[in-house]
């Protein structure tokens, strides 16, 4: 892990730590280094600016007697800029203890978002008084934009998917409603998420869903894997990797370096053989309690993707894989069970939730005992709990 990503990781974890622990981190790493991480995150999270005239807002972060100023220039249709200019015309000053910003950004999603900063509207009496209302309006809008970047956003994954240009909602897929439900328990965790398939048409960098996951998992590290090099997308908490999901060696090397993962999503080629290879290679690298997601199960019925023509998906398909996982989930109940140790999926699949065209496979310890085999049918018949078999 590089020094930068190590610091990022520590700052993320500090989001749920005590004041003393955050102070210790700031003292060890240095206030400027920690503020560097926070400002990158604020810039990523800010809503699109709406003010038509540029406004400079100062964010002063304090730690004990130390104080650092970052000035954000905010205006509609432009990326927000950090202004180094000697004399920006600062309209508003927001002052906050650096520990509160760490918590706002990387604490729990329901962390309070008020009563933790000082706000000063700077006296900038315009030359003509009639300009004042417009200045006030623009300043309020710009302050709202900056504060949107200083919080965990309320996220509607459907709206976010559409805004970023992913096809996970309102296209031929209706997945985000399922994601919203399935991912909610993970939102506050510092998850490591790998998505196979970054997306983007020819000549386009893509990455809509990776940006969506980065925004949703405010403490998460998001990795994408694609056949094409999309490393220009790289930014804090988002890494684009290159590789073929049909190649076990590549997948294992990636998982050894960046895993274990809390969540893996397969939204790559949707070739049935690739889906199975990826699952077999990566499921062992999902942590216990994590999820493996497979999108576009419909290709199980498309022969050109290696699917089965007809109404019953064969064992080589994604749906065939899910049917096998249902058997593995119940391996202890099977009459043919031997004393062989369980396979990885028999031992660790604890849930298979299938919605139309998408499946969520939950990993855990599949150890809850069924009826022991020594309690055979004869014992139950003798106890009168079940009727004797018909002659
Ligand atoms: C449907 S797009 C992904 C869309 C994106 N996940 C989203 O939700 O916006 C599929 C991506 O999978 C990539 N892909 C196709 N075959 C692949 C393979 N064998 N290994 C890795 N990526 C592959 C394509 O280059 C394409 O970018």
């Amino acid at each position: 892990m590089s020094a930068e990503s190590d610091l990022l990781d520590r700052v993320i974890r500090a989001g749920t730590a005590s004041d003393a622990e955050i102070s210790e981190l700031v003292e060890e790493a240095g206030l400027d280094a920690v503020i560097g991480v926070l400002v990158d995150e604020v810039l990523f999270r800010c809503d699109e600016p709406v003010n038509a005239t540029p406004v400079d807002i100062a964010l002063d972060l304090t730690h004990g007697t130390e104080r650092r100023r970052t000035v954000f220039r905010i205006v509609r249709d432009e990326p927000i800029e950090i202004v180094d200019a000697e004399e920006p015309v600062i309209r508003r000053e927001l002052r906050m203890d650096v520990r509160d910003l760490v918590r706002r950004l990387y604490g729990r999603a329901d962390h309070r978002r008020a009563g933790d900063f000082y706000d000063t509207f700077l006296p900038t009496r315009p030359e003509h008084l009639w300009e004042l209302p417009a200045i006030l309006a623009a300043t309020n809008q710009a302050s709202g934009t900056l504060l949107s970047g200083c919080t965990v956003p309320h996220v509607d994954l459907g709206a976010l998917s559409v805004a970023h240009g992913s096809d996970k909602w309102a296209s031929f897929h209706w997945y985000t409603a399922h994601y919203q439900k399935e991912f909610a328990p993970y939102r506050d965790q510092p998850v490591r998420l790998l998505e196979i398939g970054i997306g983007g048409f020819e000549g386009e960098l893509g990455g809509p869903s990776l940006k969506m996951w980065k925004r949703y998992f405010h403490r998460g590290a998001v990795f994408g894997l694609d056949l094409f090099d999309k490393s220009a997308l790289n930014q804090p908490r988002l890494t684009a990797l290159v590789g073929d999901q049909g190649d076990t060696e590549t997948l294992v090397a990636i998982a050894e370096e960046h895993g274990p993962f809390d969540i893996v999503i397969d939204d790559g080629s949707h070739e049935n053989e690739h889906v199975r290879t990826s699952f077999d290679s990566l499921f062992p690298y999902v942590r216990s309690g994590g999820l493996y997601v497979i999108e576009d199960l419909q290709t199980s019925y498309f022969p050109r993707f290696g699917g089965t023509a007809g109404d019953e998906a064969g064992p080589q398909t994604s749906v065939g894989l899910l049917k096998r996982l249902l058997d593995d989930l119940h391996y202890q109940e099977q009459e043919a069970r031997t004393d062989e140790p369980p396979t990885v999926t028999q031992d660790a699949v604890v849930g298979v939730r299938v919605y139309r065209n998408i499946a969520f496979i939950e990993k855990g310890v599949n150890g809850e005992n069924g009826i022991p085999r020594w309690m055979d049918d004869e014992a139950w018949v003798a106890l009168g709990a079940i009727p004797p078999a018909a002659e």
Side-chain angles (χ1 to χ4, degrees):
M1 198 185 266
S2 71
E4 268 170 33
S5 59
D6 181 48
L7 175 61
L8 172 58
D9 196 52
R10 292 175 65 199
V11 177
I12 289 172
R13 283 168 197 279
T16 52
S18 67
D19 268 4
E21 286 165 317
I22 306 177
S23 289
E24 203 177 302
L25 168 64
V26 173
E27 274 145 35
E28 247 179 73
L31 182 57
D32 292 314
V34 171
I35 288 177
V37 169
L38 301 179
V39 167
D40 273 348
E41 188 70 41
V42 169
L43 287 172
F44 172 77
R45 288 194 198 182
C46 277
D47 290 342
E48 289 289 318
V50 284
N51 48 301
T53 51
V55 175
D56 294 337
I57 309 273
L59 178 64
D60 286 357
L61 292 170
T62 59
H63 186 244
T65 54
E66 290 187 275
R67 179 169 174 158
R68 300 283 190 282
R69 167 162 290 195
T70 310
V71 181
F72 296 76
R73 179 156 296 164
I74 299 173
V75 63
R76 192 165 68 201
D77 298 331
E78 302 276 343
I80 298 173
E81 249 188 291
I82 303 298
V83 189
D84 283 330
E86 292 282 289
E87 286 176 20
V89 184
I90 294 170
R91 298 286 187 202
R92 194 168 217 159
E93 208 177 77
L94 301 172
R95 177 160 51 93
M96 196 183 289
D97 188 313
V98 72
R99 293 171 300 190
D100 283 323
L101 185 56
V102 169
R103 287 212 187 86
R104 276 174 160 261
L105 294 175
Y106 301 119
R108 287 165 43 94
D110 60 2
H111 178 74
R112 76 192 164 115
R113 294 181 187 85
D116 59 354
F117 62 89
Y118 296 91
D119 160 43
T120 312
F121 208 106
L122 294 173
T124 46
R125 191 183 169 85
E127 210 175 308
H128 309 288
L129 208 54
W130 52 264
E131 290 171 346
L132 195 56
I135 291 176
L136 289 179
T139 305
N140 292 349
Q141 288 173 327
S143 309
T145 300
L146 179 58
L147 280 166
S148 72
C150 297
T151 54
V152 176
H154 295 287
V155 171
D156 172 339
L157 282 176
L160 203 55
S161 168
V162 172
H164 281 299
S166 169
D167 66 352
K168 290 191 190 320
W169 183 249
S171 64
F172 302 115
H173 310 309
W174 300 94
Y175 298 150
T176 54
H178 304 305
Y179 276 120
Q180 196 97 36
K181 182 170 91 177
E182 293 283 344
F183 283 181
Y186 299 86
R187 184 158 193 219
D188 278 332
Q189 298 177 21
V191 294
R192 296 178 80 75
L193 178 151
L194 169 68
E195 179 163 23
I196 303 170
I198 295 177
F201 293 107
E202 212 177 315
E204 236 185 54
L205 202 49
S209 54
L210 300 185
K211 291 176 198 153
M212 170 170 116
W213 300 134
K214 176 174 167 179
R215 195 168 287 270
Y216 181 73
F217 291 113
H218 58 283
R219 309 181 72 204
V222 175
F223 300 86
L225 171 67
D226 207 281
L227 274 182
F228 303 102
D229 181 4
K230 290 170 184 278
S231 55
L233 284 169
N234 289 358
Q235 52 185 270
R237 304 202 291 113
L238 193 163
T239 310
L241 306 163
V242 190
D244 182 349
Q245 74 166 127
D247 182 53
T248 301
E249 257 179 50
T250 306
L251 297 173
V252 168
I254 284 172
E256 285 286 330
E257 186 177 348
H258 301 288
F261 301 107
D262 300 86
I263 294 173
V264 173
I265 301 168
D266 184 346
D267 184 21
S269 70
H270 306 302
E271 297 267 354
N272 285 275
E273 195 186 331
H274 288 172
V275 172
R276 297 178 64 91
T277 303
S278 300
F279 179 80
D280 292 343
S281 311
L282 294 174
F283 187 69
Y285 291 93
V286 173
R287 72 142 169 100
S288 190
L291 292 176
Y292 192 101
V293 186
I294 306 177
E295 290 190 7
D296 287 23
L297 300 176
Q298 71 276 11
T299 64
S300 296
Y301 306 95
F302 298 170
R304 68 181 187 285
F305 282 80
T308 314
D311 59 6
E312 196 172 324
Q316 82 290 357
T317 65
S318 314
V319 167
L321 167 68
L322 295 167
K323 293 192 224 177
R324 197 202 79 210
L325 294 182
L326 288 180
D327 288 333
D328 287 352
L329 180 63
H330 298 99
Y331 84 102
Q332 295 213 46
E333 275 72 24
Q334 293 157 8
E335 240 179 57
R337 190 185 148 207
T338 65
D339 289 330
E340 288 286 302
T343 62
V344 171
T345 45
Q346 286 173 334
D347 197 37
V349 169
V350 295
V352 182
R353 294 186 287 282
V354 184
Y355 306 90
R356 184 162 165 191
N357 292 333
I358 186 167
F360 294 79
I361 300 148
E362 188 175 341
K363 189 167 175 180
V365 176
N366 187 22
E368 294 156 10
N369 227 331
I371 299 171
R373 276 189 297 166
W374 56 264
M375 279 192 203
D376 54 14
D377 280 2
E378 259 177 55
W380 290 107
V381 173
L383 285 168
I386 60 171
E391 291 295 309

